[in-house]
Amino acid sequence: MTTAVEAAERSLLWSHDALGLYAFADSAGSVRLGVPGRDWDSLLPLVEVTVTGQGRAWSGERFIDTAVGGRLTYRGHESVQDGEWQCTTIRLADPETGLAVDLTLRTCPGSGFLRSQVRLVNEGSTPLQLESVSTLTLGGIVDAMDAMDAMDGLTLHWADNDWLAECRWQHAAFRDHIVPLNRSAHGHEGRGCFERYSQGSWSTGRHLPIAALTDRAGRAWLWQIESSAGWRYETGEREGAAYLALFGPDDAHHQWRELLAPGQEFTTAPAVLVGTESGGLDAAFGELTAYRRRMRRSHPDHTALPVIYNDYMNTLMGDPTTDKLLPLVEAAGSAGAEVFVIDAGWYDDDAQGWWDAVGAWDASNSRFPGGIQQVLDAIREHGMTPGLWLEPEVVGVRSPLARTLPPEAFFRRGGVRVTEHGRHHLDLRHPAARAHLDQVVDRLVDDWGVGYLKLDYNINIGPGTENGAESAGAGLLGHHRAHLDWLGSLLDRHPRLVLENCASGGLRMDYAQLAVAQLQSTSDQQDPLRYPPIAAAAATAAAPEQAAVWAYPQPHFSLDEIAFTLTGALPGRIHLSGFLDRMSPEQFALVRSGISVYKALRSEIPDSLPFWPLGLPSWDDTWIAYGWRGQAATWLTLWRREPTADERGRGPRPRDQHGADDTTRTVTISHLRGAPLRPTLLYPATSDATATWNAADGQLTVTLPRRDTAVLLRLSAAPPAEGREG
């Protein structure tokens, strides 16, 4: 245990009062980040670095206790003010290899978040090959004096992610994954940990780079890794206490190795850590949402929130023509849409199909006999901004560009050009690849008047590209950094251009991308009954005003079905679709009503904070609730779904203990407890829903008499102003 003498020999280098975190250096120059009073031995080295030939002090699945990390010693620190950001850089060095390590910690006064990034420079005389580098490490999360009780009360939260099934949050007791091993009997730490990581170029194709630890008292540690080219986190037990370590790509999981010649440097992907003393995940995601708004590139779209119609989902499905589009353009404009996006297929002039022929991005003459400008002009005439779908990073194997661009402009491994699902992949570090895409986008924006680009990404190209002697993972990271730089350059040249980040829905839903792009496609889910758990949890992955949810009402839908699909999109960004031109007047009026409601409340969304009064949804929950707290009021969306036959066969779930046929649900809204409020039904008027408020208990009781319905409510001291436009 730490003695008073040992504690007195440590120097305070940095502190974050809101998080209760401090960085200390001991008399030997070792630096640790942790909570005061924790046992020094439970704290991790400030940075963990695996170097080929150096390895770790204890072999296993963990990437902590590295030989280099254990040798890093303090050589100085400095703090500067960068606008609203406070930045402290702690400088370390390894005397054996000559590796210099700078850890930069960034935060804002009074905030509950900490952003970290690491820069390494080889100041030695021999090359060093990096195999993993931590962006942030934190030991002693619980008090080692009471570790058994404390860790028994810890809960792990993580999000599985898949095509059509995004943002599926899971939770389990910490001890279900990190079992107590009785270290005193063995004299060693365990070798395992709880870890999640990405695979290939879909950064969120398996999991979100976000997870949390919470305890029974409502405290929470929530983290996010900002990388599109490989990430990993681990948590476990060390010296009788819980720890956390966050990484970008590594050799074991991503084939990433970075060779640093003398004088060369490398900078890790950033990561952010949020800590809250109470309020659990809701409070932590509130802090993370505020952080996301601070760190991203500013853009007018973040506050304007225009309604977007896209012709793809459950509508034209990649088969646009002038004749099919013009009626949709007129109907979308009448419904209240402000952007109209022509999705995939507008360039398809090939009898063999467009999938493996894309790359030139010229409009099809057969699909648009009068030219695509006829449709773009019609979009503008109906008061909307034209948008187009683009998949810029790929070139189809049958595209002429596959033969005319230099071989070095494409991903290669082992000297062979990579092919995946009929496509090659551009390496945007190559000037010819970037020049080609610059020419395409400038033509679409400057010549065609396009103001919105949906940037899709529909292949997982694997570990990356080998450009010369570089590792595949290093090539992927190099490309993705060039890709982000390219996106930024587009916005520099075209400041009002809106970029949507899409990767088969939400398979590249990370804040490396969302720091630059304005919107995030949350899913390709086509079943409106399967979308609610994705829509309700989308604000965990993206700020609400960046999370785009499909609303695809159809003329064969009942009024309840139309309202159901629209209601789920109202808390964030609307991606309207469907054959609106074929609807009855009553159906169309219900769509227009939903759009009008959205326009009346959207000005509150960019400053709102999300919460989940029934907890983060499970995939098959029958009742789902998502709310957001604004300046003027609190809003709440509730869905009631009928379980499928398979789900009914499993029996009732703990969260649905009232049974599948229950028509009423009571939710507790803690931050409004004691407030004399009036619940107002905003949408839809056709639901026959009722809502009552119990101020003393902070409970809202909602009745939805029919299955597969949803409702949007406003909780405020006074009813909303009539006809207010956002």
Side-chain angles (χ1 to χ4, degrees):
M1 299 305 298
T2 303
T3 67
V5 173
E6 290 171 329
E9 292 176 346
R10 298 188 186 121
S11 302
L12 176 65
L13 306 180
W14 172 90
S15 64
H16 192 305
D17 293 340
L19 289 177
L21 291 180
Y22 298 80
F24 294 95
D26 68 6
S27 58
S30 180
V31 181
R32 300 288 189 269
L33 176 67
V35 179
R38 298 293 193 257
D39 183 67
W40 181 259
D41 291 336
S42 73
L43 306 182
L44 294 167
L46 196 62
V47 180
E48 296 280 18
V49 185
T50 307
V51 175
T52 305
Q54 300 288 325
R56 292 163 288 176
W58 180 241
S59 188
E61 300 302 310
R62 306 176 176 200
F63 284 20
I64 61 170
D65 292 314
T66 59
V68 172
R71 293 196 304 260
L72 292 175
T73 56
Y74 173 73
R75 65 174 188 176
H77 74 284
E78 60 182 2
S79 297
V80 297
Q81 194 76 26
D82 181 12
E84 65 175 343
W85 294 86
Q86 293 178 343
C87 309
T88 296
T89 298
I90 301 174
R91 298 189 298 277
L92 309 166
D94 174 21
E96 183 172 316
T97 62
L99 184 66
V101 178
D102 291 350
L103 173 76
T104 299
L105 303 172
R106 294 166 58 87
T107 189
C108 294
S111 70
F113 63 78
L114 172 65
R115 190 179 201 239
S116 179
Q117 197 165 19
V118 173
R119 174 177 171 267
L120 303 96
V121 182
N122 184 356
E123 296 182 354
S125 58
T126 59
L128 299 173
Q129 183 166 253
L130 308 175
E131 296 182 5
S132 71
V133 184
S134 69
T135 290
L136 182 66
T137 60
L138 178 63
I141 291 177
V142 297
D143 191 350
M145 291 288 291
D146 192 26
M148 183 63 70
D149 290 341
M151 283 192 286
D152 281 349
L154 282 179
T155 300
L156 277 163
H157 307 263
W158 72 97
D160 295 337
N161 213 62
D162 196 0
W163 184 56
L164 311 179
E166 291 85 351
C167 302
R168 298 186 335 275
W169 280 88
Q170 318 293 327
H171 65 275
F174 184 79
R175 282 302 189 199
D176 286 352
H177 292 272
I178 310 299
V179 297
L181 299 176
N182 190 1
R183 183 181 185 276
S184 62
H186 302 92
H188 289 288
E189 299 290 347
R191 298 183 187 274
C193 59
F194 177 87
E195 66 174 0
R196 291 292 184 267
Y197 52 89
S198 65
Q199 181 176 340
S201 59
W202 275 338
S203 60
T204 57
R206 297 161 56 96
H207 310 284
L208 294 182
I210 311 161
L213 286 170
T214 60
D215 68 11
R216 295 190 185 109
R219 288 184 287 264
W221 294 108
L222 173 67
W223 57 89
Q224 167 182 285
I225 305 171
E226 296 160 13
S227 173
S228 295
W231 57 266
R232 177 183 174 273
Y233 63 77
E234 66 175 78
T235 183
E237 183 177 359
R238 182 179 182 277
E239 296 287 347
Y243 78 89
L244 169 68
L246 310 180
F247 300 85
D250 64 67
D251 184 23
H253 301 88
H254 311 99
Q255 298 184 32
W256 177 87
R257 296 176 303 282
E258 186 77 25
L259 185 65
L260 292 187
Q264 288 186 330
E265 64 180 66
F266 172 76
T267 301
T268 67
V272 63
L273 178 68
V274 163
T276 57
E277 282 297 310
S278 61
L281 284 181
D282 283 357
F285 274 113
E287 284 285 353
L288 185 60
T289 300
Y291 160 78
R292 288 166 169 170
R293 288 167 174 158
R294 277 187 165 112
M295 56 80 69
R296 69 193 177 191
R297 180 186 179 119
S298 64
H299 194 283
D301 182 78
H302 292 148
T303 53
L305 312 193
V307 175
I308 301 153
Y309 182 95
N310 182 300
D311 69 32
Y312 184 83
M313 191 59 69
N314 292 348
T315 309
L316 299 187
M317 299 297 291
D319 188 26
T321 66
T322 298
D323 290 342
K324 292 177 181 179
L325 284 167
L326 290 179
L328 291 175
V329 168
E330 181 177 1
S334 297
E338 294 151 309
V339 176
F340 189 103
V341 179
I342 304 172
D343 208 280
W346 58 269
Y347 38 79
D348 177 21
D349 221 356
D350 192 320
Q352 299 181 58
W354 55 263
W355 179 263
D356 58 358
V358 295
W361 309 113
D362 291 318
S364 165
N365 292 323
S366 61
R367 292 182 175 275
F368 306 101
I372 196 172
Q373 280 293 351
Q374 179 184 356
V375 180
L376 299 178
D377 288 343
I379 292 170
R380 282 185 286 267
E381 288 167 3
H382 284 86
M384 296 178 288
T385 298
L388 287 177
W389 180 95
L390 204 64
E391 195 170 357
E393 292 165 83
V394 301
V395 169
V397 295
R398 293 192 300 109
S399 171
L401 285 155
R403 298 179 294 277
T404 59
L405 285 174
E408 298 79 12
F410 296 94
F411 273 36
R412 296 166 296 158
R413 291 198 288 272
V416 177
R417 185 184 299 187
V418 179
T419 303
E420 176 69 13
H421 197 179
R423 273 101 176 272
H424 303 306
H425 197 295
L426 291 173
D427 186 339
L428 285 181
R429 295 174 295 179
H430 195 281
R434 182 155 174 166
H436 159 62
L437 291 182
D438 280 342
Q439 184 181 36
V440 168
V441 173
D442 290 346
R443 167 168 49 87
L444 301 183
V445 176
D446 293 334
D447 298 344
W448 293 14
V450 169
Y452 184 108
L453 290 176
K454 175 178 178 177
L455 302 180
D456 212 340
Y457 185 70
N458 288 307
I459 60 171
N460 188 333
I461 202 61
T465 180
E466 298 164 345
N467 186 8
E470 74 179 354
S471 66
L476 182 63
L477 180 59
H479 160 74
H480 274 304
R481 287 179 168 174
H483 175 234
L484 295 174
D485 182 74
W486 176 69
L487 294 177
S489 73
L490 298 184
L491 295 172
D492 289 340
R493 296 200 305 276
H494 311 290
R496 302 196 67 84
L497 177 66
V498 175
L499 302 178
E500 175 192 337
N501 183 46
C502 182
S504 285
L507 301 188
R508 200 161 65 173
M509 190 158 43
D510 62 71
Y511 259 87
Q513 299 286 125
L514 284 171
V516 184
Q518 286 67 62
L519 284 91
Q520 173 64 53
S521 174
T522 54
S523 186
D524 281 350
Q525 177 57 249
Q526 292 178 248
D527 182 350
L529 297 180
R530 298 286 186 184
Y531 216 129
I534 303 171
T540 64
E545 64 274 14
Q546 291 183 274
V549 172
W550 286 104
Y552 28 59
Q554 300 294 351
H556 65 273
F557 280 12
S558 68
L559 295 182
D560 278 350
E561 289 171 323
I562 288 174
F564 189 89
T565 185
L566 275 162
T567 303
L570 301 181
R573 299 300 298 273
I574 298 177
H575 267 178
L576 185 64
S577 197
F579 290 104
L580 307 183
D581 57 312
R582 304 177 189 176
M583 287 185 167
S584 70
E586 186 180 22
Q587 291 175 315
F588 193 75
L590 188 59
V591 174
R592 286 194 58 167
S593 172
I595 301 303
S596 296
V597 166
Y598 179 77
K599 290 182 177 180
L601 65 82
R602 63 181 168 185
S603 64
E604 298 287 341
I605 294 175
D607 294 320
S608 68
L609 298 178
F611 68 96
W612 295 267
L614 293 177
L616 290 171
S618 293
W619 184 247
D620 52 5
D621 280 352
T622 55
W623 279 87
I624 294 172
Y626 166 65
W628 63 106
R629 304 167 57 177
Q631 299 294 323
T634 291
W635 290 266
L636 185 69
T637 301
L638 288 107
W639 296 261
R640 179 195 165 202
R641 301 188 297 169
E642 181 75 2
T644 65
D646 289 343
E647 291 161 358
R648 285 195 296 271
R650 299 179 203 150
R653 292 174 297 280
R655 295 244 298 264
D656 292 318
Q657 55 189 325
H658 297 285
D661 295 329
D662 183 62
T663 62
T664 300
R665 180 53 55 97
T666 297
V667 299
T668 299
I669 305 178
S670 301
H671 71 275
L672 295 179
R673 185 178 283 118
L677 302 175
R678 172 177 173 178
T680 303
L681 173 65
L682 294 182
Y683 188 80
T686 57
S687 67
D688 297 323
T690 61
T692 58
W693 172 246
N694 182 329
D697 297 326
Q699 291 185 331
L700 180 72
T701 300
V702 178
T703 298
L704 289 173
R706 296 185 297 279
R707 67 182 189 181
D708 298 333
T709 54
V711 65
L712 171 63
L713 297 163
R714 172 183 168 127
L715 299 174
S716 60
E722 292 295 330
R724 182 169 62 87
E725 177 72 6

